[in-house]
Amino acid sequence: MSVEVNTKESVKTSIDVESIRRDFPILESKIKGNPLIYLDNAATTQKPKVVIERMNEYYFAQNSNVHRGVHTLSEIATNAYEDAREKIKTLINAADSKEIIFTRGTTESINLVANSYGRMVVKEGDEIIISIMEHHSNIVPWQILAEEKKAKLRIIPINDNGELLIDEFEKLLNEKTKFVSVVHISNSLGTINPIKKIIDISHNHGVPILIDGAQGIMHTAVDVQELDCDFYVFSGHKLYGPTGIGVLYGKSNLLNTMPPYQGGGDMIRSVTFEKTTYNDIPNKFEAGTPNIAGAVGLGTAIGYILKIGINNIAEYENELLKYATDVLSSIKELKIIGTAKEKASIISFVLENIHPHDIGTVLDYEGIAIRTGHHCTQPLMHRFNVPATARASLAFYNTKSEIDAISEGIKKVIKVFN
Amino acid sequence: MSDLRELYQEVILDHSKHPKNYHKIENASHQAEGFNPLCGDHFNLYLKVKEGLIEDVSFEGAGCAISKASASIMTSIVKGKTIAEATKIFKKFHEYVTGKVDQSFDIDSLGKLAVFSGVTEFPVRVKCATLAWHTLMNALENKIGIVTTE
C-alpha cells in the first residue's frame, strides 16, 4: 500500500472531503425537500461514480460468461473478474489470489464455512465459540450447525462499555472447542475487537478462527497474513462496491481440505454419473455463473479506496467520530450505547422515553438517514436492556456540518416528544 | 413538517406519554404477547372477558409512540364492547390503514381511531398502529404464543 502517506500532518489535508463528495452522485439528492445527510453507512455505503460507470461499461461492452468461451468477450470478462480477485488479494494482503472466494456477501461466506468446514470438523459434544456482540449472520449458521451435530455454542461476554472480556474467552476454550467465530468491528456498538490477540489465543489452543469483517474492512487496514486468521469475510456493498458480491478469504491449506459448499458448473474438473472430480480453489467454491459485474464493480471500489488510502480514511473517520461523540454527548437526554476505548465511526444511542423508530421518522423529515432497530443483534440489545437503538454510522464522505445537523435534528425530536 | 404533525398528532403524543389502561390485570381470562421485530415494539395484553363481553382490558410493554398510543386508544375503545363489536372495529380500522378502502370511506366513522390517518402515508409504520389490535384478536382467539407483525 505504497500510496498511503502516514504522517499525521499530511493526513489532515489528505482527505479533501468536498472533492470526495463530488465522487458520490447520490449525495446531491434531496429527501423531503432537504439535502440528503446519509448516516447509515454501516447498513450499506454509497457508491462512487467510478464504480457505477465501470459496471455500466461491463454490461454495455464486455458482458460475457467467465472461464468458458474461447471468444474474445469471454476472455475480457474473465480477465476483469480475475483482476478483481487480484485487487482483493492486494487489499487484504493474502498470500495467493486462490485464497479469495467470491460469495454473495458476508452472510453467505459465513454459511459456506459453517456448512463446509464446520460440518467436517464439528462432532457431537463439541463446542463453537462466538461472542455476544455478533450479528445474527454470525450466530444463526453456527446455531444450525450446533443443532445438527448436537454441539454447543459458547458465548464470549462483554463489559458495560461493549468490550469483549478476553479472560473469559480464554476460560471458554477447551479440548472440545472446534471453532471460534468473532466479529472484527461491532455493527451495533462500533467496538474494534483486539482480533490479533483473539486469533493468537485461539491458535495457542489449536483452534481455527473466522473473523467477520463486514464492518471491519472499510474502517481499518487488514493484513490477513499478519493477523494469521484462518478465515476473513466481508461484503462488497459496505466497501463502496455493489450489493450481491462478497468475499471469503481462507488459508489455502484449509480451503483445499474442505468439501464443496454447492455443486454445479465451474466447480468441477470432470463429471460422470459415477464420479465427479472437483476443481481446485477458488473455483471449487464458486459453483454456477458468478456475479461478474458485481465482482468487477467491487474491484473498482477497492482501487478507489486504495488510491485515497485506508489509513487516511481511518484517520479522517476517527476525527469525525471524536467530534460526533462530543457533540452528541452534550445532549443530556441522549445516552450512547457502546463506549469502548477502541471504536470505529459507529454511534448507537438512545433517548430517554423516546423510541428509536420515532427518532428515525423525525430525522427523516430533516433529510437525515440513520438506522433504528435492533441492528440484527438481538442478544446484544438484551445485554444492554434496550429494545432497540438509533445508530449513526459515518463514512469518509460525511462532514462535521452533517454531524451538527443530526445534533439539531435530535433536539427537534426531543421537543416533539417531551 | 406538516406530514410529520399529521403522523404525530397531539392525541397520539398524549396517549404515548400517558397511556390509558397501562397495567397488568391479575386473573386475566385472556392474555397475549405482541411483538414487532422491525421496531422492537413489545406488548403484553390482558383481558377479562365474560359471556362475550370485554369487561376489562389493559396492556404493558415498550414501543414507539404510534404503537403505544394505538394500544392505549384500543383498550379505551374496546372496554365494555362485545367480542363481535371489537372484531368489527378492528376490521374496519385495518382496512383503512392498509389502504383497502375507496374514496367514499367516511373517516369520521372511525371515531377516535381517525387520529391514525397519518399512518397511511407511512407504510412501514402501519404495523406499529395495528400491533395492539392483532394482539387483541389473538388473545380473544386464545391462540398460544407470540403475535408478530412480520
Side-chain angles (χ1 to χ4, degrees):
Chain A
M1 292 188 203
S2 56
V3 285
E4 285 167 22
V5 185
N6 286 318
T7 65
K8 206 151 189 154
E9 290 69 30
S10 67
V11 161
K12 292 235 155 92
T13 52
S14 63
I15 293 267
D16 175 0
V17 70
E18 284 315 314
S19 127
I20 279 170
R21 288 180 71 83
R22 284 194 290 275
D23 294 340
F24 292 82
I26 205 169
L27 297 179
E28 286 160 27
S29 310
K30 292 211 157 167
I31 302 292
K32 297 189 160 90
N34 293 307
L36 167 67
I37 294 179
Y38 188 76
L39 304 178
D40 195 16
N41 294 288
T44 195
T45 52
Q46 298 303 343
K47 322 305 172 199
K49 211 183 320 180
V50 285
V51 169
I52 302 164
E53 282 171 352
R54 180 67 188 91
M55 291 175 76
N56 271 347
E57 184 197 9
Y58 173 79
Y59 277 127
F60 271 114
Q62 302 176 332
N63 178 53
S64 187
N65 212 330
V66 291
H67 306 145
R68 283 168 176 77
V70 292
H71 59 79
T72 306
L73 267 191
S74 177
E75 198 183 317
I76 292 172
T78 303
N79 287 343
Y81 182 68
E82 291 304 327
D83 179 55
R85 205 190 300 277
E86 288 296 327
K87 288 220 175 76
I88 294 160
K89 173 192 170 245
T90 306
L91 177 73
I92 62 173
N93 192 33
D96 195 319
S97 58
K98 290 190 177 73
E99 296 176 313
I100 309 297
I101 317 283
F102 282 117
T103 64
R104 279 194 299 137
T106 305
T107 299
E108 191 178 51
S109 298
I110 297 173
N111 275 280
L112 192 161
V113 176
N115 273 279
S116 171
Y117 186 79
R119 271 192 174 152
M120 182 173 78
V121 299
V122 175
K123 306 271 183 295
E124 187 171 343
D126 285 344
E127 295 181 357
I128 301 157
I129 298 177
I130 59 173
S131 87
I132 193 168
M133 65 167 82
E134 299 309 317
H135 188 281
H136 295 163
S137 62
N138 199 24
I139 299 174
V140 183
W142 303 113
Q143 218 163 27
I144 292 171
L145 176 69
E147 251 169 56
E148 183 189 309
K149 298 286 186 180
K150 297 192 174 68
K152 213 170 156 190
L153 272 190
R154 306 296 302 269
I155 314 296
I156 311 169
I158 53 174
N159 63 23
D160 290 341
N161 294 328
E163 294 162 322
L164 288 179
L165 300 176
I166 302 299
D167 291 351
E168 297 298 317
F169 168 52
E170 278 207 89
K171 282 185 216 157
L172 288 175
L173 282 152
N174 62 59
E175 69 284 354
K176 289 182 202 152
T177 314
K178 287 290 149 65
F179 203 73
V180 177
S181 194
V182 172
V183 71
H184 188 174
I185 292 179
S186 159
N187 72 312
S188 294
L189 304 172
T191 309
I192 304 175
N193 287 320
I195 51 169
K196 178 65 189 149
K197 203 168 172 184
I198 296 169
I199 292 163
D200 288 346
I201 293 170
S202 291
H203 286 169
N204 288 344
H205 289 77
V207 180
I209 177 164
L210 178 148
I211 302 296
D212 170 0
Q215 303 289 343
I217 195 76
M218 71 295 246
H219 291 302
T220 175
V222 171
D223 182 331
V224 290
Q225 292 190 75
E226 194 192 312
L227 285 171
D228 195 31
C229 56
D230 301 285
F231 301 99
Y232 192 96
V233 300
F234 59 93
S235 299
H237 73 99
K238 295 189 204 280
L239 188 61
Y240 311 95
T243 55
I245 189 80
V247 170
L248 160 64
Y249 158 80
K251 283 182 182 167
S252 57
N253 61 334
L254 288 172
L255 292 173
N256 281 328
T257 61
M258 285 159 57
Y261 171 51
Q262 292 178 333
D266 230 22
M267 55 76 70
I268 51 86
R269 180 164 293 133
S270 72
V271 177
T272 67
F273 285 114
E274 287 70 39
K275 171 99 187 133
T276 292
T277 320
Y278 303 128
N279 210 332
D280 293 331
I281 60 167
N283 308 65
K284 182 169 80 174
F285 294 105
E286 292 182 5
T289 297
N291 181 358
I292 306 166
V296 170
L298 176 56
T300 306
I302 290 171
Y304 176 81
I305 296 298
L306 289 179
K307 217 164 102 189
I308 295 167
I310 193 89
N311 287 337
N312 293 337
I313 290 173
E315 286 276 354
Y316 179 78
E317 287 176 346
N318 280 341
E319 219 176 286
L320 275 187
L321 171 69
K322 197 172 168 300
Y323 183 74
T325 307
D326 288 347
V327 168
L328 296 183
S329 305
S330 71
I331 302 172
K332 69 175 192 323
E333 295 88 345
L334 184 146
K335 187 183 168 204
I336 293 176
I337 306 281
T339 47
K341 271 194 210 90
E342 296 294 326
K343 259 190 83 166
S345 51
I346 294 172
I347 302 182
S348 261
F349 61 92
V350 290
L351 295 178
E352 225 172 292
N353 298 324
I354 304 175
H355 193 277
H357 223 90
D358 296 319
I359 303 172
T361 297
V362 176
L363 290 182
D364 182 48
Y365 267 82
E366 306 291 320
I368 303 169
I370 60 159
R371 173 83 187 265
T372 58
H374 52 60
H375 318 294
C376 298
T377 55
Q378 286 182 8
L380 188 63
M381 297 292 113
H382 290 154
R383 166 65 177 76
F384 282 99
N385 203 20
V386 291
T389 72
R391 179 188 71 187
S393 48
L394 312 167
F396 64 99
Y397 44 62
N398 289 126
T399 64
K400 288 186 178 172
S401 68
E402 290 181 315
I403 291 164
D404 293 335
I406 188 180
S407 165
E408 288 310 307
I410 290 168
K411 286 173 191 161
K412 262 186 202 167
V413 174
I414 293 167
K415 225 164 131 189
V416 171
F417 291 97
N418 276 344
Chain B
M1 277 305 259
S2 63
D3 283 359
L4 194 60
R5 282 289 171 202
E6 202 165 299
L7 178 66
Y8 292 115
Q9 295 187 24
E10 281 306 323
V11 180
I12 290 181
L13 294 176
D14 274 354
H15 273 275
S16 75
K17 283 179 218 166
H18 312 288
K20 305 265 186 295
N21 305 306
Y22 191 72
H23 57 87
K24 185 179 176 179
I25 295 175
E26 300 299 335
N27 311 318
S29 62
H30 296 64
Q31 192 178 329
E33 197 179 354
F35 184 53
N36 177 357
L38 177 76
C39 306
D41 299 333
H42 193 190
F43 293 111
N44 280 301
L45 189 72
Y46 309 94
L47 291 148
K48 256 188 185 167
V49 180
K50 208 171 170 186
E51 290 163 6
L53 188 79
I54 300 168
E55 288 187 335
D56 200 5
V57 53
S58 72
F59 79 104
E60 273 184 334
C64 66
I66 308 289
S67 64
K68 208 164 185 181
S70 172
S72 170
I73 292 172
M74 180 209 70
T75 56
S76 55
I77 287 177
V78 302
K79 200 187 271 191
K81 298 261 189 323
T82 64
I83 291 176
E85 285 167 336
T87 307
K88 210 172 144 190
I89 297 168
F90 163 67
K91 281 190 175 148
K92 192 169 181 181
F93 178 56
H94 193 257
E95 279 174 11
Y96 174 68
V97 291
T98 54
K100 295 203 178 78
V101 295
D102 58 29
Q103 298 226 316
S104 66
F105 183 81
D106 176 16
I107 189 168
D108 291 336
S109 69
L110 283 173
K112 283 189 212 170
L113 290 171
V115 296
F116 292 102
S117 60
V119 171
T120 55
E121 301 298 318
F122 295 81
V124 292
R125 306 303 295 273
V126 168
K127 288 171 177 177
C128 311
T130 55
L131 176 63
W133 288 94
H134 283 295
T135 312
L136 172 73
M137 290 300 122
N138 203 33
L140 291 173
E141 285 167 28
N142 243 337
K143 281 184 192 157
I144 308 294
I146 301 175
V147 187
T148 88
T149 54
E150 292 300 292

